[in-house]
Amino acid sequence: MNILVTGGLGFIGSHTVVSLYERGHQAVIIDDYSNASKEVLEKLETLIQSKIPFIEGNVTDSKLVENIFKNHQIDGVLHFAAFKAVGESVEKPIMYYENNLNATLTVAKLALEHKVKKFVFSSSCTVYGDQPSPFHEEMDLLPATNPYGATKQMSEQILKDISFAHPEFKVTLLRYFNPIGAHDSGLIGESPLGVPNNLMPYILDVALGKRPHLNVYGSDYPTLDGSGVRDYIHVMDLAEAHVAALEKSLKPVNIYNVGTGQGSSVLEVVKAFETMNDVKIPLNITARRPGDIAVSFADPAKIKNELGYQTKRDLNQMVKDAWNFAKRSNHA
Ligand code: UFG
């Protein structure tokens, strides 16, 4: 299949492009470099040993996206392109609603007009809100606590409604848990601009000596060691879920959690990182971060039963691959 990958130079998008080629598919990438560096395309082409058609621009530009559908035979869309910083979304709600919702509307509308039958959307476990884990797909969604989460819920609804009206337009909503790690080549990985918001990029900065310590947000959660628990998933496992969804999903609307089903605390992630990589991560145990929940992990049964998909890589592999990428890209 020839797949349009929006946001294909970002962390999850770029790894998914590798998975597509590994499974014999091809990609056309559109990305506006808003959270990706220019070198990623070159690195992807080195990894897959082939040129990848690339369009620079924002997916809310309907003329630009229309031309992509006109100029390429597209069999499916993987729609990653979106803003994703929770705190920033609280400060700049208009920017988040405008970009993320228009992106979904524009790409879905043009995909439908060009008779594309498969559309996979990057959703998030954040849509479940603060309720007890494991999260499963049939749970009611609680109101989002920030505009970022709201754009994920609204985009899910938009896509469900489109598929309801046009059942030939098969929509898959993938609710990601916490992707970390990197491709084992160390060529691509996660390198956010500025101070990292998320746990693993922050750990990597500390390991590289760019920051003195990791702030651990909360030591009084009702968890094993008091720190927050998340379902960390290797980004290559997450990438492979997209390919499974494209190859196998057949109902008009398919909703799947993509996680391992295993929760790990912040302190457990740090321990695994230190042990696997022989690097010390100094800690500063501090107050809870506003908006965080105590525990979040997936019930991964549905995607296994319906698509035969299962994660393969454990936490040790995730922390090892993350460090391998950080060292290579920072020449540490
Ligand atoms: N954490 C720290 N110190 C840090 C960063 C994080 O202790 O410097 C803790 C958090 O408190 C949390 C865990 O590490 O317990 C994971 O935090 P992340 O920020 O890595 O990820 P979240 O679980 O907060 O994920 C949220 C949303 C996702 C969204 C993601 C993107 O739930 O939907 O942020 O920013 F995609």
Side-chain angles (χ1 to χ4, degrees):
M1 285 183 274
N2 194 27
I3 306 299
L4 175 61
V5 186
T6 75
L9 300 185
F11 176 44
I12 306 172
S14 60
H15 288 80
T16 304
V17 168
V18 176
S19 279
L20 282 172
Y21 280 84
E22 278 174 355
R23 291 277 305 172
H25 303 295
Q26 288 169 323
V28 176
I29 296 178
I30 176 167
D31 198 295
D32 66 357
Y33 294 119
S34 59
N35 196 24
S37 73
K38 304 235 167 184
E39 299 86 63
V40 176
L41 182 64
E42 245 171 70
K43 290 182 176 163
L44 277 177
E45 292 180 335
T46 305
L47 271 175
I48 63 161
Q49 299 273 291
S50 155
K51 277 269 170 214
I52 305 171
F54 173 68
I55 296 92
E56 179 179 350
N58 188 283
V59 290
T60 60
D61 180 342
S62 45
K63 271 274 146 286
L64 187 72
V65 178
E66 182 162 26
N67 280 333
I68 301 177
F69 285 109
K70 279 186 180 154
N71 296 335
H72 300 267
Q73 175 58 46
I74 301 292
D75 305 301
V77 174
L78 295 176
H79 177 41
F80 295 98
F83 294 149
K84 61 155 204 161
V86 174
E88 184 184 51
S89 80
V90 175
E91 284 154 33
K92 300 176 182 168
I94 295 176
M95 184 173 115
Y96 269 69
Y97 287 114
E98 190 169 48
N99 184 70
N100 291 4
L101 298 181
N102 281 330
T104 299
L105 281 168
T106 307
V107 181
K109 175 173 177 259
L110 291 165
L112 183 69
E113 280 174 17
H114 288 83
K115 314 229 171 320
V116 174
K117 302 219 160 29
K118 291 170 179 237
F119 192 101
V120 179
F121 175 65
S122 296
S123 191
S124 165
C125 61
T126 200
V127 299
Y128 292 109
D130 191 356
Q131 47 185 327
S133 285
F135 296 139
H136 56 84
E137 291 85 348
E138 287 69 35
M139 276 176 160
D140 287 336
L141 307 185
L142 298 184
T145 52
N146 57 72
Y148 159 76
T151 67
K152 292 296 176 193
Q153 291 181 337
M154 291 176 189
S155 289
E156 285 198 356
Q157 191 62 49
I158 290 168
L159 292 167
K160 283 197 257 184
D161 290 343
I162 296 174
S163 190
F164 184 73
H166 307 275
E168 74 284 5
F169 187 71
K170 312 280 191 244
V171 165
T172 303
L173 310 174
L174 296 182
R175 294 178 177 161
Y176 308 158
F177 283 70
N178 288 56
I180 59 171
H183 189 264
D184 63 9
S185 63
L187 276 181
I188 55 170
E190 183 175 23
S191 30
L193 308 170
V195 183
N197 292 309
N198 298 115
L199 180 63
M200 186 49 66
Y202 208 103
I203 291 178
L204 295 174
D205 272 10
V206 175
L208 289 166
K210 292 185 185 173
R211 304 183 197 279
H213 52 250
L214 171 73
N215 295 307
V216 178
Y217 297 135
S219 54
D220 57 353
Y221 284 113
T223 59
L224 206 69
D225 56 30
S227 65
V229 166
R230 296 289 181 274
D231 185 339
Y232 296 94
I233 172 171
H234 196 292
V235 65
M236 284 308 296
D237 275 327
L238 178 55
E240 287 163 11
H242 294 78
V243 184
L246 281 171
E247 289 178 348
K248 296 189 188 143
S249 67
L250 287 168
K251 285 180 289 169
V253 177
N254 310 274
I255 305 180
Y256 300 117
N257 287 335
V258 197
T260 65
Q262 281 246 300
S264 305
S265 73
V266 174
L267 298 182
E268 284 174 326
V269 174
V270 170
K271 184 102 219 109
F273 189 92
E274 291 184 328
T275 309
M276 288 302 292
N277 299 322
D278 203 14
V279 185
K280 190 95 196 92
I281 304 295
L283 301 179
N284 173 37
I285 312 283
T286 176
R288 293 180 179 192
R289 183 172 66 175
D292 273 354
I293 65 174
V295 177
S296 157
F297 62 92
D299 175 342
K302 191 176 177 209
I303 192 165
K304 183 173 180 212
N305 294 339
E306 294 190 8
L307 301 186
Y309 164 89
Q310 214 171 343
T311 58
K312 298 186 209 133
R313 299 155 177 97
D314 65 8
L315 184 63
N316 287 340
Q317 186 75 43
M318 299 180 212
V319 295
K320 184 168 155 271
D321 289 340
W323 182 227
N324 179 41
F325 165 73
K327 276 189 300 189
R328 275 190 73 132
S329 48
N330 289 273
H331 313 291

